[in-house]
């Protein structure tokens, strides 16, 4: 393949986050179609302090960049240099992501064809285990003047390019370039064919890191499109950049539709505990308010926990909270909005007989605490305030199958007591799931939310089940 202009580029930065961190040095080698190379570099004032360990790694100190131009000052000329060029870097998504964000802040759009020399080396030398820059220096006898300085590292990439062109058949190098440049910018640890088998159907995808550590679980009704989106964002999201750096393997599991994908994602996140799925991982100490009568006949909200009783079959439950603190905060907000008595709700202790609650003094209580309001009226207002938080009781005596179809594929999602037991595609699988279900399936908040929405769909077939 022939290119009118190549730019081999390296950046030094204050850290690894392209949104929060800043560029401290730019080095590039600009090569025209005739092979003439122009070297250019500049220190960059990041306008923030450089961490001490970064100073030790690069040798670039705060004093060195104090009087250097800012990126905004360099941006117009640098943008002209990069226009129309093939952008070549080692772990290119890192450098490209920083530049895209820096140019965006300077008000300049930037987009270029990108070639990663890590992936190029992997494609050309699949038998080699290491493809970091130090390994390439040794393998190809490159001349390293000053590691971890931008221009020196950019020049190493230019040397590598010349060695590859001199030692490899043109068709071999051309085929590798053709393959890499027609693909999205994949993470450097993935093989070039990593996306070939991913279908554009509903399902769940799993990202694994080194030693098969679970990194992330996601779902989509279009798997291929969703997976590609992680690699086409140019690091506008810091999470995507971190995933890109850590990702070694992708696994996909197809489902018949969105419901199956949602249920499987929630289950896998809790089973595998991926490091980047913090929200779905956190079940916490699940609790809810339950209205009960005390020995005096007063109706009071009492905090109850899923570990203590069966949330799927308990009546008069309101709200699902991951902690006691969140449950009490929610009840206080309702009291504020509906002029409920904190004493009656158990959120405030009485300081003396006949004394009103604190909200009465602020005119935020209608006086049930001192007999100014009938308790029946207060109870009715409390139940009205809690109505939107009502937890649905499981509406069947046992397990049911939610039948989801997509063409020739038919999945039966087996659920009981708001708990997802698994998905079956045959009668044998179905009865195995039923026979292996626990006597009291664990109530799960995420599954409850998914199923509550799913059961309102008119296109879903619900099949009552019983063990064989």
């Amino acid at each position: 393949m022939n290119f009118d202009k190549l730019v081999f580029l390296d950046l030094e930065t204050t850290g690894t986050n392209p949104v929060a961190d800043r560029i401290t040095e730019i080095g590039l080698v600009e090569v025209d179609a005739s092979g003439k190379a122009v070297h250019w570099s500049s220190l960059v004032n990041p306008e923030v302090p450089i961490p001490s360990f970064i100073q030790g790694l690069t040798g670039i100190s705060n004093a060195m960049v104090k009087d250097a131009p800012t990126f905004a000052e360099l941006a117009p000329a640098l943008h002209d240099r990069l226009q129309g060029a093939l952008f070549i870097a080692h772990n290119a998504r890192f450098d490209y992501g920083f530049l895209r964000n820096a140019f965006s802040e300077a008000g300049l759009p930037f987009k270029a064809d990108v070639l990663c020399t890590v992936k190029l080396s992997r494609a050309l030398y699949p038998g080699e285990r290491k493809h970091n820059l130090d390994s390439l220096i040794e393998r190809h006898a490159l001349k390293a003047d000053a590691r971890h300085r931008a221009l020196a590292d950019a020049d190493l990439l230019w040397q590598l390019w010349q060695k590859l062109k001199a030692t490899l058949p043109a068709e071999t190098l051309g085929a590798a370039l053709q393959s890499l440049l027609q693909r999205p910018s994949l993470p450097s640890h993935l093989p070039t064919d990593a996306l070939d088998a991913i279908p554009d159907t509903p399902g769940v995808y799993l990202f694994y890191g080194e030693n098969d550590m679970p990194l992330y679980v996601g779902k989509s009704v279009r798997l291929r499109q969703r997976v590609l989106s992680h690699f086409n964002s140019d690091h506008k999201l810091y999470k995507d950049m971190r995933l890109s750096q850590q990702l070694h393997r992708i696994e996909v599991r197809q489902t018949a539709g969105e419901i199956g994908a949602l249920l499987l994602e929630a289950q896998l996140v809790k089973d595998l505990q991926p490091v980047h799925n913090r929200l779905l991982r956190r079940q916490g100490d699940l609790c809810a308010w339950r209205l009960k009568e005390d020995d005096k006949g007063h109706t009071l909200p009492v905090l109850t926990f899923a570990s203590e009783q069966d949330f799927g079959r308990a009546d008069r439950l309101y709200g699902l909270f991951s902690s006691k603190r969140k449950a009490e905060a929610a009840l206080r907000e309702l009291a504020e909005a509906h002029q409920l008595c904190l004493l009656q709700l158990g959120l405030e202790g009485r300081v003396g007989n006949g004394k009103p609650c604190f909200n009465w003094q602020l005119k935020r209580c209608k006086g049930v605490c001192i007999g100014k309001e009938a308790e029946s009226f207060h109870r009715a207002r409390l139940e009205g305030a809690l109505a939107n938080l009502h937890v649905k009781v499981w509406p069947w005596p046992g397990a049911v199958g939610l039948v989801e179809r997509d063409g020739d594929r038919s999945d039966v999602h087996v659920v009981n007591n708001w708990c997802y037991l698994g998905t079956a595609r045959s009668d044998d699988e179905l009865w195995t799931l039923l026979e292996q279900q626990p006597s009291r399936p664990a109530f799960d908040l995420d599954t409850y939310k998914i199923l509550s929405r799913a059961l309102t769909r008119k296109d879903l077939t619900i099949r009552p089940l019983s063990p064989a």
Side-chain angles (χ1 to χ4, degrees):
M1 298 179 70
N2 296 315
F3 303 92
D4 291 332
K5 183 165 64 172
L6 308 175
V7 172
F8 301 86
L9 185 140
D10 187 74
L11 302 176
E12 301 303 332
T13 64
T14 61
T16 60
N17 186 334
V19 176
D21 295 313
R22 296 292 181 265
I23 297 169
T24 58
E25 187 177 39
I26 304 168
L28 61 83
V29 181
E30 185 178 348
V31 183
D32 65 19
S34 69
K36 179 183 177 181
V38 175
H39 291 64
W40 177 89
S41 69
S42 177
L43 289 167
V44 181
N45 185 343
E47 302 179 277
V48 295
I50 303 173
S52 57
F53 76 94
I54 296 291
Q55 294 185 54
L57 176 67
T58 64
I60 299 173
S61 67
N62 290 313
M64 291 170 63
V65 299
K66 180 181 178 182
D67 297 320
T70 64
F71 186 89
E73 293 170 329
L74 293 170
L78 179 61
H79 195 269
D80 288 343
R81 286 182 178 274
L82 297 175
Q83 278 295 102
L86 175 63
F87 182 102
I88 304 173
H90 207 66
N91 286 318
R93 280 179 59 82
F94 175 88
D95 302 273
Y96 189 59
F98 263 90
L99 279 179
R100 277 291 298 265
N101 281 282
F103 275 127
S104 177
E105 288 186 0
L108 292 172
F110 176 63
K111 188 173 184 179
D113 291 327
V114 179
L115 177 65
C116 176
T117 49
V118 174
K119 286 182 280 186
L120 179 61
S121 180
R122 286 183 181 278
L124 294 170
Y125 304 96
E128 297 290 346
R129 189 171 66 88
K130 294 183 178 180
H131 300 273
N132 57 51
L133 197 49
D134 288 329
S135 297
L136 298 187
I137 291 170
E138 180 178 354
R139 187 177 306 142
H140 299 283
L142 307 179
K143 184 180 178 181
D145 290 328
R147 286 287 284 115
H148 301 298
R149 289 300 299 268
L151 185 57
D153 285 355
D155 184 71
L156 285 170
L157 301 182
W158 167 226
Q159 292 180 48
L160 174 65
W161 183 266
Q162 296 175 87
K163 285 287 180 85
L164 295 177
K165 292 194 72 174
T167 58
L168 293 175
E171 58 269 25
T172 300
L173 180 58
L177 293 173
Q178 182 79 27
S179 175
L180 290 170
L181 292 174
Q182 286 184 346
R183 297 174 177 272
S185 184
L186 293 183
S188 56
H189 295 300
L190 283 182
T192 56
D193 61 351
L195 301 181
D196 290 352
I198 299 179
D200 213 16
T201 59
V204 170
Y205 59 96
L206 301 93
F207 287 171
Y208 293 94
E210 194 171 6
N211 299 320
D212 250 14
M213 173 185 290
L215 297 176
Y216 184 74
V217 175
K219 52 84 181 54
S220 178
V221 293
R222 299 189 63 184
L223 276 173
R224 183 176 181 81
Q225 184 181 77
R226 181 67 185 99
V227 171
L228 286 173
S229 73
H230 284 281
F231 313 136
N232 289 331
S233 63
D234 301 321
H235 294 325
K236 291 177 183 176
L237 296 177
Y238 182 43
K239 182 179 76 173
D240 277 350
M241 191 193 75
R242 293 180 64 201
L243 279 172
S244 175
Q245 293 173 336
Q246 299 169 2
L247 183 57
H248 282 245
R249 184 170 73 86
I250 300 174
E251 177 187 345
V252 297
R253 301 188 190 182
Q254 290 179 258
T255 63
E258 181 184 22
I259 296 172
L262 287 165
L263 290 170
L264 183 58
E265 177 196 34
Q267 180 191 62
L268 288 172
V269 167
K270 290 177 177 63
D271 289 346
L272 299 177
Q273 297 285 297
V275 295
H276 292 285
N277 286 94
R278 292 188 178 89
L279 291 179
L280 277 176
R281 264 177 24 203
R282 295 173 180 169
Q283 176 83 352
D285 199 2
L286 192 64
C287 55
W289 293 107
R290 186 176 189 186
L291 293 182
K292 297 179 68 175
E293 289 190 0
D294 64 10
D295 53 5
K296 297 180 180 178
H298 302 312
T299 300
L300 303 173
V302 177
L303 197 60
T304 182
F305 292 84
S307 57
E308 300 170 347
Q309 71 172 129
D310 186 350
F311 270 19
R313 303 194 184 279
D315 60 353
R316 304 189 83 187
L317 282 185
Y318 298 90
L320 292 168
F321 309 98
S322 59
S323 68
K324 177 181 178 181
R325 180 181 61 81
K326 290 181 179 179
E328 291 183 343
L331 191 58
R332 284 185 182 276
E333 287 183 10
L334 286 178
E336 181 82 15
H338 296 271
Q339 290 185 284
L340 299 172
C341 178
L342 294 180
L343 278 174
Q344 192 79 357
L345 298 181
L347 296 175
E348 181 181 309
R350 189 183 291 275
V351 295
N353 290 333
K355 295 289 185 179
C357 71
F358 183 67
N359 271 0
W360 167 258
Q361 301 173 50
L362 301 177
K363 297 183 179 180
R364 296 174 183 170
C365 166
K366 294 190 175 182
V368 68
C369 48
I370 53 173
K372 296 290 185 180
E373 180 187 31
E375 187 185 338
S376 59
F377 286 179
H378 185 271
R379 180 173 65 248
R381 293 194 302 107
L382 171 60
E383 291 181 354
L386 289 170
N388 288 335
L389 299 179
H390 182 247
V391 179
K392 301 173 186 175
V393 177
W394 179 245
W396 290 277
V400 299
L402 310 183
V403 184
E404 193 171 24
R405 295 183 177 89
D406 179 30
D408 295 333
R409 184 184 180 107
S410 180
D411 288 352
V412 180
H413 310 305
V414 183
V415 292
N416 188 10
N417 217 33
W418 303 112
C419 173
Y420 173 56
L421 304 178
T423 294
R425 299 196 64 198
S426 69
D427 284 345
D428 286 344
E429 291 179 354
L430 180 62
W431 301 126
T432 297
L433 289 173
L434 289 172
E435 290 167 356
Q436 292 178 350
Q437 69 174 310
S439 57
R440 179 184 151 190
F443 186 93
D444 177 74
L445 175 58
D446 299 305
T447 304
Y448 171 79
K449 291 178 179 179
I450 294 166
L451 292 176
S452 295
R453 291 191 294 267
L455 293 175
T456 64
R457 289 175 48 165
K458 295 180 180 179
D459 61 338
L460 190 67
T461 301
I462 302 173
R463 176 182 167 189
L465 302 172
S466 60

